[in-house]
Amino acid sequence: MMFFFLFSVSGNASNPEFKKKKNSECLLRLRHEGLLNSCPAGVASCPASSCPFRSPRSPRLKLLESALLLGPRPTAGGMEFSELIRTGRAQAELLRGPGAPPLRGTLCVTGHHLLLSPGPQATSDLWLLLLRSVDSIEKRVAGDSGTITLRCKDLRVLQLDIEGVEATLDIARSIEALSSLESVITSFPFFYRPKGLRLGDAWHFHPPEHYYKRVARETNAWRLSEVNEDFSVCPSYPRAVIVPRAVDDDALARSARFRQGGRFPVLSYHHAPSGTVLLRSSQPLTGPQKRRCAEDEELLRAVLAGARPGARGFIVDTRSAQAAKQARMTGGGTEAKAAYPGWKRLHRPMERGRPLQESFVRLVEACGDLEQSMDRWLSRLEGCRWLAHVKEALSTACLAAQGMEREGACILVHGAEGTDSTLLVTSLAQLILDPLSRTMTGFQELVEREWIQAGHPFQLRCAHSAFSHARPKHEAPTFLLFLDCVWQLGRQFPLSLEFGEGLLLALFEHAYASPFGTFLCNSEKERCLCEVRTRTHSLWSGLNQPKEQRKLRNPLYVLNPLAIWPSVEPQSLRLWQGLFLRWTRPPEPSEAAWEKVWQIVTDKEKTEGSQPTVSASEPQP
Amino acid sequence: MMIISLQSYRSYKTSRDGVNWDLSEAVPRLPGETHVADKEVIYICPFNGPIKGRVYITNYRLYLRSLETDSALILDVPLGVISRIEKMGGATSRGENSYGLDITCKDMRNLRFALKQEGHSRRDMFEILTRHAFPLAHSLPIFAFLNEEKFNVDGWMVYNPVEEYRRQGLPNHHWRITFINKCYELCDTYPSLLVVPYRASDEDLRRVATFRSRNRIPVLSWIHPENKTVIVRCSQPLVGMSGKRNKDDEKYLDVIRETNRQISKLTIYDARPNVNAVANKATGGGYESDDAYHNAELFFLDIHNIHVMRESLKKVKDIVYPNVEESHWLSSLESTHWLEHIKLVLTGAIQVADKVSSGKSSVLVHCSDGWDRTAQLTSLAMLMLDSFYRSIEGFEILVQKEWISFGHKFASRIGHGDKNHADADRSPIFLQFIDCVWQMSKQFPTAFEFNEQFLITILDHLYSCRFGTFLYNCESARERQKVTERTVSLWSLINSNKDRFKNPFYTKEINRVLYPVASMRHLELWVNYYIRWNPRIKQQQPNPVEQRYLELLALRDEYIKRLEELQLANSAKLSDPSTSPSSPSQMMPHVQTHF
C-alpha cells in the first residue's frame, strides 16, 4: 500500500498555483501560532558567544525558510516532489558491503525514498532507502556508466553502479536535493502510514505527568506545575514540569528569566531510598555584574528543605571553572556561593558541540579506513578521543549518582544551555541508580522524558551524521554518546538492562533519520506547532510491536534492584563495535549468538510451562 | 572492599576443585599437601595498601589470610606461579614496610611482603619459599608427584593418538601410521607414533631426518575429510650457508604433495620473518629454496621469535600491573605490540586453514625447530577447520597432540620449579596460543563448547605444577619420568566438573570452517586474564553472567532430557542416526543445579 503511493509520485504533475497557495497558508499558520516570535531552541535569549553552535543565522530563520522554500504538501493522490526528481528510473547495481550480495534492478527515486526493484526473475524483495538517511553523496562517471557512493547517517556505505552518465548525474542531483530538505512538515513521518499501527498510538506518553505520579507516591515535597502551559516561560521545556511544592508559578517565571533560555531548575529524578533529588537547568544569567535572583535562590533553598533534613546540595557544572567564569562576560555564569547557602559547586568539564562532532567524524573515518596499517590502529583510536568522551560522561554521571546515593545530597546539573551535556549526565545517573529506568518501558520513558521532552534539539544536532562534508553548525552526537554510554553499562552489567544492543542501534538510526515522528523537531513546542503527535506515528508504537521484541530485548535480563556502578577505567571501556564496525564486519556470528540465547530462554519458558508440548518431530535445540 | 568479594569468590571456587575445605583448618589443603611454615607478615597490597596477615607456606602454595578484622583478604598462590623471589630493603633501610620480600609471579602479578627488621626475620621465609618454589635446584620433587588427588575421570585417557588419527580417517591408502619412533630413536622430541606418507619407507624417513633440524621430519597433523589435503609439520631444513640440498627430503616433500592430486604445488609456510629465516642459514638452518623444491611454493608468515614475544608480554605487564596506565591506555597498549603479534599468529593460521580448505592444497608448516610457532599455527588452523577441536574434549586432545606430544618445550618455556628466572628459553608461546583461542571464541560466541573460565583454568595450571600435564619438554622425558602413572592430569579436574567450563550458547556444527577477523580493529586485550588482579576492573561480584549461564545450561539440559523422554515415547518412528552424536547421554549426568 505504501509502495503504491510512492510509485505514484513521479507520475504526478505538480500544480504550481496550488502549491503557492498552500505555502502561504502554511506560513500564516506558523505566524499565527507564534513561531515567529520565539526561538525554537531557546537560543534567542542565549548570550551569543557562549553558544558552541555559532551560526550567522538563527535556527528559527532556518525553519521558516525551509517552510517557505519548499512547499510540497500532501495532496489527494500523492506529493509534489517531482520537480526535484530529475529522473524517474535507471538500471543499477547496488553494492552493500561485505556479507550482502550485490543487487541488480531498476533504481527509482521518489519523494522520500530510493528504491531498487529487482527484475522479475529475482527472488529478493524490493530494496528501500529513506532519502533522509543519506548523509553524503559522491558521484563518479566513467565511459557510459557512473557510480554513486552514498554514505548514510547510520554509517552504512552503499555503492550504486548506474547505467548511463546522464542518469547517474540526474539521480545524484535528485538524491542530493531530496535528502537535504529541512522542512519538518513535509518530511516522511508525515506521510508514513504503516499497516497495523494507528495514528496517535503511544503518543499518550506524557512523561512529566506520568513520572510525577511516581514522585507523588514517594514524597509530598514536589508538585506538577503548568506554568509553561503555552511555552512562554521556557520554549524548550514541555508544558508540565515538576517543581518544589513550596515555590509558586510566579516565582518560577521569575527564576526562568534568570536562566538561559528560561530553563529554570526542575526535577529530573527523585531517588526515594536516600530522599534526595536530581535537578537540571541551564546556567544562571549572572553576567559581569553578578546579578542575583531571589526567586531562583528560593527555589534551590526549597529543594533542600524538601529533601531529608540537613541535606546538602551539589551543583555539577559541566564546564570547567574557568569556562564558567568566562561565561559571565557574555551574560551567563554560575551560582555564587554566598547566594545559595548549602549548595556547593563542582566542575566537571565535558566537551560538547563541535569538538564532540569532530571526534565522532574522526572515529568513523578511522573505522572506515580499511587501508589503515594495522599497527597504528590503537593510537588512532585513542587520538579520536571518543572513548575519552565516554569516560567523561560516565564518570560525571557516577559523580552525580554517588552524590545522591552515598552523600545523601541533592544534585543540580547544568552547563550553559542545559540541553546537551546536562541531559547526558542526568539520564545516565538515573540508569545507574534507578532499576525501573533499566526496563524496556522505563528506558523508553527515560529517553522521552530526559531527552525529547527535556528539549534536546534533535533536529539541529542530528541534521548530519559523520559523513557530511559541510562544516558542522549545530550538529553534535550527544545522543549517540548517551547510547554508547548505555551500551558500556550493558556490557559491564550484561543482565541488568532489559533491552539489548538492538534497541540502542534502533534509537541511533531513528534519531538521525526515521519514518516515525518521535525525534522530529527541537522541542515540545515545535512538535505542537507541527502537530507531530496527531500527524505522525510514534517510534515507541513501532518498536513495541511484538515482532520487534526479539531484536530489542535482552534475553538474559533479571531485575537488579541495586545501583550499577560502572568501571570507567580505560581498559573497561570498549569501542562499540556493533555500531561503529557494524557494516564492515560479517554480522553472522553475533547474530547467531543472539538467536541462540533467545532460543535457550524460550526453551526455558517452554519447560517452565505446565507440560512440555513439544512433539518429537521438532528440531533439537 | 572489592577485593574481599573477589577473594571469597576465589575460595568458593577452589572449594569446588576437590580441595579439602575444612573450616577448622587455617589453610585449604590438597591430598598430599603438607604444611611447612607460617608467619605473621604485612602484605603490601598494591590496591588497598598494607594489610597485616598470616602467611602459610605448604609444599604447594602460599596462602595468606588477613588478620585485620575489617578486611577478609585471602591470597592463594600456588608456588609454581612464582618466577622470582627477591629481598627488598636491608636491615638498616628506613621507612615503613621497606624490609621484606618481593615476589614476581608468572601470571601477571607481583606480591610484596614486609617483615620486622630485627633478627633477620625474613631469612627463613626466603629460604623456605625458595626451596619449595624452585624444587629443581634443591633436589626436591615437583608437587605434581606428591599430589594424591583422586578424580572420577582419568584425564590421561583423553588422548589416544591411534583413536584420534582414526577419527581423522587414518590410516588410508596415502598415509600410514609408523612406529619407527617407538623408542624415540628417530627423533627424541617427537611422539612415538607418527603418520607419514604411505609411499615413504622407514629408511626414507631416517634419511630425511638427517636434513631436518633436530630430526623433526615432516609428519601429518591433520587431514581434510573431503579434500584429503593435509597439514604437515616439521622443523627447518639444514640448508646452511653453503645451500646444501638433500634429495631424500626433496623427494619426500614431493611424495607428500602427490597424496593430493588437486593442485600441482605443495604450499610451505615458514612462520618466521624472511630475514630471520635467512639468518638461520648461518647456524646451519634455512628454508626450502625454489631451485631445490620445484613443486613447492614458500611463504613467510612474519611471526617473531620467542624472545620478542617474551619482551612484548613483559611490556604488557608493565602497563597493567599494579596500576593500569590511564592517560594513554591505547597507545601504551599499542607500544607493547602484543595484539600485533596475536594478529600475525592468527593471520598465519587463517592462511594455513584457507589454503587447506578453499585452496585445496596440502600445507607444510615449520619455523626453526617446529615446536613453538609451528605448534601455534597447526593447532589454530586445526581449530578453525575441525569443529571437533572446539568441544572441551576435542580441545584437550588438540593441546595434548599438537603441543604436548609434539614437544613444545613446556619445561623450558615456563621454567617449572626452576629458579633461573632470566632464562632466555622462557617465553609465553602457549599463553599466546590460548589468547588467540580466546579471540576466536569472542568472535564466534556459539562455536566453542568451553567458556573463558576453561581457558583461564588451563593457564593457571600451566604454572601451578599441581598436575603433570604441562611438565617436561617432550614425550620421551615424560615417559622416562612415568608422568602418567605418578601424576594427575589437568583434564581429570576439568572433565570431572565439566559444567563449570561449558559455554551454554554452544551450538554444535559439523564442517563449519571459522575464519576469525584478524584485524586490529577486532582484537582486544584479554582484560579478564591480564588485568584480573586489579579489583577496579571487576564489575559485578560474584560474576552473575557465569551463574546465569549455568542456570541456563541446567535448564537447557533439562529441556533436552524432557525432549529425549518424549522422543523415547515415540521412538519407533524416530531412528535418525544423525542425532545420536549429540546424544543426551553425555548431557544427562550434568542435569543438576548447584546454586
Side-chain angles (χ1 to χ4, degrees), chain A residues 366-367 369-370 372 374-382 387 391 492-496 555-558 560 564 567 569-572 574 577 581 585-586 589-590 592-593 596-597 600-601 603-604 606-607 609 612 614-616 618 620-621, chain B residues 324-334 339-340 343-344 443-446 504-507 512 517 520-525 527 531 534 536-537 539-540 544-545 548-549 552 555-556 558-560 562-564 566-567 570 574 579 582:
Chain A
C367 291
D369 180 1
L370 300 173
Q372 163 89 44
M374 59 161 194
D375 53 331
R376 306 299 300 157
W377 163 249
L378 289 175
S379 47
R380 187 158 175 196
L381 179 60
E382 184 174 277
L387 289 173
K391 182 187 159 89
Q492 295 189 19
F493 300 89
L495 311 185
S496 297
L556 293 171
Y557 173 72
V558 275
N560 176 357
I564 51 171
S567 161
E569 311 291 309
Q571 63 285 349
S572 303
R574 292 292 145 77
Q577 294 198 351
L581 301 179
R585 63 161 185 192
S590 56
K596 183 72 197 166
V597 174
I600 291 174
V601 172
D603 288 350
K604 173 191 148 186
K606 266 187 215 159
T607 38
V614 256
S615 80
E618 260 185 56
Q620 286 242 12
Chain B
V324 176
E325 167 67 50
E326 284 235 11
S327 51
H328 297 287
W329 164 247
L330 291 174
S331 41
S332 324
L333 179 60
E334 184 174 278
L339 290 177
E340 204 184 317
K343 180 203 149 95
L344 282 169
Q443 292 190 20
F444 300 97
T446 58
F505 308 129
Y506 174 54
T507 316
R512 178 180 174 207
V517 185
M520 284 300 280
R521 285 176 180 72
H522 294 91
L523 300 179
E524 47 182 280
L525 186 76
V527 169
I531 322 187
N534 190 328
R536 249 163 268 156
I537 67 126
Q539 284 104 27
Q540 277 174 316
V545 190
R548 180 100 168 115
Y549 278 5
L552 287 172
L555 284 163
R556 187 181 77 156
E558 204 172 306
Y559 174 64
I560 290 172
R562 289 207 198 178
L563 193 71
E564 193 59 24
L566 283 164
Q567 276 176 340
N570 313 357
L574 201 88
T579 51
S582 67

Side-chain angles (χ1 to χ4, degrees), chain A residues 206-259:
Chain A
H206 289 287
E209 290 87 343
H210 185 89
Y211 185 62
Y212 177 68
K213 282 191 190 134
R214 182 175 156 199
V215 175
R217 280 196 299 274
E218 296 164 348
T219 167
N220 194 29
W222 296 82
R223 68 184 182 92
L224 194 69
S225 165
E226 295 193 344
V227 66
N228 201 35
E229 173 78 67
D230 56 356
F231 306 110
S232 60
V233 174
C234 172
S236 62
Y237 272 173
R239 288 200 160 106
V241 286
I242 306 170
V243 296
R245 186 169 294 282
V247 180
D248 64 26
D249 282 357
D250 286 345
L252 294 176
R254 271 192 285 275
S255 166
R257 262 176 258 141
F258 183 62
R259 295 275 173 179

Side-chain angles (χ1 to χ4, degrees), chain A residues 444-592:
Chain A
Q444 293 179 2
E445 280 182 16
L446 183 77
V447 170
E448 180 75 36
R449 182 163 55 84
E450 287 296 285
W451 287 89
I452 298 170
Q453 306 264 329
H456 177 66
F458 279 99
Q459 194 82 17
L460 294 171
R461 297 290 181 264
C462 302
H464 280 292
S465 167
F467 292 123
S468 168
H469 301 300
R471 258 163 63 90
K473 289 183 295 237
H474 304 284
E475 291 83 356
T478 325
F479 186 62
L480 170 61
L481 184 59
F482 164 70
L483 297 175
D484 196 332
C485 292
V486 178
W487 178 83
Q488 307 278 352
L489 280 173
R491 205 190 67 83
Q492 295 189 19
F493 300 89
L495 311 185
S496 297
L497 305 183
E498 197 184 6
F499 48 92
E501 186 179 47
L503 178 66
L504 302 176
L505 290 174
L507 291 180
F508 165 66
E509 276 176 30
H510 286 286
Y512 278 88
S514 173
F516 295 97
T518 296
F519 287 109
L520 288 181
C521 302
N522 294 302
S523 64
E524 199 49 28
K525 176 178 182 173
E526 287 182 27
R527 277 185 285 275
C528 280
L529 289 176
C530 298
E531 300 170 45
V532 169
R533 275 169 187 270
T534 49
R535 293 175 48 199
T536 73
H537 283 282
S538 158
L539 172 63
W540 309 124
S541 62
L543 288 182
N544 292 333
Q545 296 176 87
K547 62 176 177 167
E548 302 287 334
Q549 295 308 300
R550 251 194 187 207
K551 277 189 290 191
L552 308 178
R553 279 179 190 270
N554 173 10
L556 293 171
Y557 173 72
V558 275
L559 178 82
N560 176 357
L562 305 171
I564 51 171
W565 300 106
S567 161
V568 296
E569 311 291 309
Q571 63 285 349
S572 303
L573 303 177
R574 292 292 145 77
L575 175 70
W576 184 5
Q577 294 198 351
L579 186 119
F580 293 105
L581 301 179
R582 185 178 180 188
W583 309 107
T584 54
R585 63 161 185 192
E588 299 90 36
S590 56
E591 275 170 15

Side-chain angles (χ1 to χ4, degrees), chain B residues 40-281:
Chain B
E40 207 167 289
V41 297
I42 291 165
Y43 168 58
I44 304 174
C45 172
F47 310 110
N48 297 338
I51 294 164
K52 201 196 268 182
R54 178 165 283 276
V55 65
Y56 300 84
I57 300 167
T58 71
N59 52 357
Y60 171 64
R61 76 183 88 206
L62 179 157
Y63 187 87
L64 177 120
R65 173 170 296 187
S66 154
L67 293 173
E68 282 168 31
T69 44
D70 57 338
S71 147
L73 177 103
I74 283 170
L75 268 187
D76 188 356
V77 186
L79 297 178
V81 156
I82 296 174
S83 82
R84 178 186 199 181
I85 307 167
E86 277 176 300
K87 293 174 181 167
M88 59 169 189
T92 54
S93 50
R94 276 177 294 172
E96 214 184 338
N97 301 330
S98 61
Y99 175 83
L101 296 177
D102 195 345
I103 297 172
T104 311
C105 298
K106 296 169 183 172
D107 61 353
M108 309 296 285
R109 60 177 157 168
N110 294 345
L111 307 170
R112 293 182 129 208
F113 298 107
L115 291 109
K116 290 195 198 77
Q117 254 153 324
E118 47 285 353
H120 304 291
S121 66
R122 71 180 168 196
R123 193 199 285 152
D124 50 339
M125 182 167 163
F126 176 80
E127 272 162 18
I128 288 166
L129 271 181
T130 309
R131 258 172 89 80
H132 289 94
F134 311 125
L136 290 193
H138 300 86
S139 336
L140 286 171
I142 283 179
F143 178 75
F145 292 101
L146 305 170
N147 186 1
E148 292 164 10
E149 279 176 275
K150 297 273 181 289
F151 292 97
N152 53 17
V153 187
D154 184 2
W156 293 122
M157 305 298 282
V158 164
Y159 177 55
N160 175 340
V162 177
E163 238 169 65
E164 163 58 14
Y165 287 121
R166 189 179 299 145
R167 186 191 68 84
Q168 292 189 25
L170 296 166
N172 61 17
H173 53 280
H174 284 299
W175 295 90
R176 66 187 177 96
I177 290 178
T178 172
F179 295 93
I180 185 177
N181 203 33
K182 194 165 174 237
C183 304
Y184 309 103
E185 333 88 330
L186 178 76
C187 171
D188 60 352
T189 57
Y190 260 5
S192 55
L193 195 143
L194 300 169
V195 176
V196 294
Y198 194 81
R199 285 178 46 212
S201 69
D202 282 2
E203 205 37 57
D204 294 335
L205 301 179
R206 283 196 193 91
R207 282 197 297 266
V208 172
T210 61
F211 192 62
R212 290 280 164 179
S213 171
R214 297 172 200 274
N215 304 337
R216 294 172 67 93
I217 59 167
V219 295
L220 180 141
S221 271
W222 189 77
I223 184 162
H224 194 286
E226 282 139 33
N227 297 345
K228 303 296 173 198
T229 49
V230 295
I231 299 177
V232 168
R233 62 181 290 172
C234 60
S235 62
Q236 64 182 340
L238 298 174
V239 174
M241 290 300 267
S242 55
K244 263 186 295 180
R245 292 179 55 167
N246 181 308
K247 284 278 169 240
D248 296 298
D249 193 71
E250 289 162 24
K251 201 181 113 209
Y252 183 71
L253 260 51
D254 222 37
V255 167
I256 292 173
R257 180 186 61 82
E258 279 169 5
T259 61
N260 160 37
R261 303 229 167 74
Q262 295 161 91
I263 234 148
S264 57
K265 293 237 170 186
L266 175 71
T267 308
I268 302 175
Y269 285 110
D270 188 326
R272 302 166 291 185
N274 194 345
V275 278
N276 296 31
V278 173
N280 258 289
K281 286 187 177 179

Side-chain angles (χ1 to χ4, degrees), chain A residues 605-619:
Chain A
E605 276 153 16
K606 266 187 215 159
T607 38
E608 277 173 352
S610 54
Q611 216 30 73
T613 48
V614 256
S615 80
S617 55
E618 260 185 56

